[in-house]
Amino acid sequence: NTRPWHGRVASAILARSTMFSHALYVFFIAMSPVVEISGAIPLAILTFDFSPFQAYTIALLGNLIPPLFLIPLLGRVDAFLSAHSTLWQRYFGRFLERTRDNHVKKFEVMKELVLFVLLVIPTPLTGVWTASLLTHIFGIPFRKAMPLIIVGQLIAGGVVVATTLGLVSIFS
């Protein structure tokens, strides 16, 4: 190599910092509602040229952060707003109450299974944000919900990786 050693070191540092910034980008995209893991993995593989394992791991870790905060906070926020806001109580409180009343008997036996199936299907609006909301609506405790969310996202991430690689092999 004809470049001096400091030039090679600088390019290696730049390449690593670019990879790190792309990894952070994928991590935060996976945390975002709607896009979540089903958008973060294809982005990582197709745009940033990550290996499937790297894309899966980074997106999965990012996707598992929101429910750690959402599940405990939703109940507290709902209780606070119900106590301090007549608008919240009038509209959203009634909506949540009606939703619970209409569906709790249907889902009493299968609420964990419904939550799991919702998570395994990697489409927009069926990820951890929606699952966190459903845990609040149907009263699934954090200790039951979090393992279901983790396993559901492990499977959903695998489905997204397989789908992405399959589509890449078909169209290349």
Side-chain angles (χ1 to χ4, degrees), residues 43-167:
L43 174 78
I45 293 172
L46 301 175
T47 305
F48 299 134
D49 211 26
F50 283 17
S51 73
F53 178 75
Q54 289 172 322
Y56 177 81
T57 304
I58 294 166
L60 182 66
L61 290 174
N63 198 236
L64 292 176
I65 299 294
L68 293 174
F69 298 100
L70 286 172
I71 295 171
L73 285 177
L74 282 173
R76 292 182 182 135
V77 169
D78 183 31
F80 176 81
L81 289 175
S82 293
H84 293 90
S85 170
T86 55
L87 179 70
W88 179 266
Q89 184 58 35
R90 181 177 294 149
Y91 295 106
F92 295 108
R94 286 183 189 164
F95 170 75
L96 291 174
E97 188 89 18
R98 258 195 329 255
T99 303
R100 281 187 194 114
D101 291 344
N102 290 339
H103 299 290
V104 78
K105 289 193 194 297
K106 296 175 195 172
F107 294 125
E108 189 62 40
V109 178
M110 309 184 297
K111 60 185 169 187
E112 289 88 3
L113 179 64
V114 170
L115 180 68
F116 180 74
V117 169
L118 176 84
L119 286 162
V120 170
I121 302 167
T123 59
L125 301 176
T126 62
V128 297
W129 288 77
T130 304
S132 298
L133 180 62
L134 287 178
T135 61
H136 170 63
I137 291 173
F138 295 115
I140 302 171
F142 181 84
R143 289 178 185 247
K144 271 189 174 179
M146 209 52 213
L148 291 169
I149 289 172
I150 291 169
V151 173
Q153 289 307 288
L154 285 168
I155 295 169
V159 169
V160 172
V161 167
T163 303
T164 303
L165 296 176
L167 290 174

Side-chain angles (χ1 to χ4, degrees), residues 3 11 20 36 40 166:
R3 285 190 311 167
S11 355
F20 182 72
E36 297 192 32

